[in-house]
Amino acid sequence: MNLNSQTFSSIRKPKIFNNPERFIEGWYWVIPSQNLRVGEVKPVTILGKELVIYRGKDKKVVTFDAYCPHMGAHLAEGKVEGNALRCFFHHWKFDAEGMCINIPCLDTPPSLQLQTWPTAEKYGMIWVWTGEIPQQPLPFVPELEQKECDVAIHSHFSLNCHPNVVMINAIDAQHLNTVHKLPLEIIFEKHELNENAIIFSNTTPIKDNFSLIKLIRLFYKNVITYSICYWYGSIGIVTLGPDFFHVHMMVAVRLYKGGKTEGQVLLMTKKRKGIFGWLYNRVVLWLTKITAKYFLMGDIKILQTIQFDLKTPIKADHSIMQFINHVDKQQSLMWGTWKEARSHDIESKPKRERWQDTMSND
């Protein structure tokens, strides 16, 4: 029954969702923290923009635009001195704020500053904010927001489809039944955490005819949790399990050239004390890895070949349509330049008013 197709088709074509030239301003993963040692500098390209990152003597990570403002030498060829970075070509030196603090042939350097980007570390990854001032905290698992975590970096992957398409996989209720054969009718309830984060939680219990659930029901009678928290349309955090044993998996993706995806999978659980807590967490992360492999492997061959176009949405696609609307309400930037995207139908309104606009599918 095609209940929602008329409603969905009445909305303008998405401006950000599945757009190979746009992404949402926010926090994006760079590289694992362990891959950048103290005193090391590396080139990185994120969302089409060339950057340089280094870790100073104080162990903090700094991110600059990649090229020296003097003659355009790549700063990754330079070296870290204390908490500053010195260009290899003419030895201009820049502090962690991007200010030029030394030029060997001048007594006083000119007043110039490199473009710096807010940088932080969490869950074993380095993250960069793609604007001047972060508007939100680093992405977090709502259940673990105030807790220390043990994290395992599971895998890095590349896919031929857009990151937004990868994200909707976790709330595609039909495919969870057809591909993964989950024994339940999935109905998601939406909750907006903030203007950049949204949570979808399943509200229906898993049927008892599933062998694993029969075993769990011997000890536990409550509903099994299955929820997904999205940040910036490009980070999906899945929480799964009974109340006494939740596994958490973060899939962090970013837009790559040609509208493709590069991503990182992180497995996490709350930190537990002592040797037994450490051993317990190893088991939890191992079980999370098995769960992640089960859900990801079955979908890769589809995501490598899909040409997403939701022409005929049905009632089961309602959560996907809500996600598309959520993505399109956010501040978009242009791939490669990180400049604010312009659009005739949204730029005439202040950002906060755009966020409060109602969409007919929600």
Side-chain angles (χ1 to χ4, degrees), residues 151 246 329:
V151 178
H246 280 175
K329 293 173 184 176

Side-chain angles (χ1 to χ4, degrees), residues 16-18 22-28 139 162-169 194-198 200 229-237 251-255 261 323-324 326-328 330-331:
I16 305 173
F17 182 89
N18 200 29
R22 294 188 184 183
F23 65 94
I24 294 169
E25 180 181 9
W27 288 104
Y28 290 85
H162 192 280
N164 294 155
V165 177
V166 177
M167 287 292 97
I168 63 172
N169 206 48
N194 57 54
E195 73 177 78
N196 294 122
I198 190 170
F200 290 91
C229 180
Y230 290 109
W231 292 81
Y232 314 112
S234 61
I235 298 168
I237 304 168
V251 180
V253 295
R254 62 191 185 207
L255 185 61
T261 294
F323 177 78
I324 293 173
H326 168 71
V327 167
D328 266 9
Q330 299 181 58
Q331 176 62 57

Side-chain angles (χ1 to χ4, degrees), residues 39-50:
E40 191 172 14
V41 57
K42 287 190 174 184
V44 293
T45 301
I46 308 297
L47 298 159
K49 193 171 187 65
E50 292 184 79

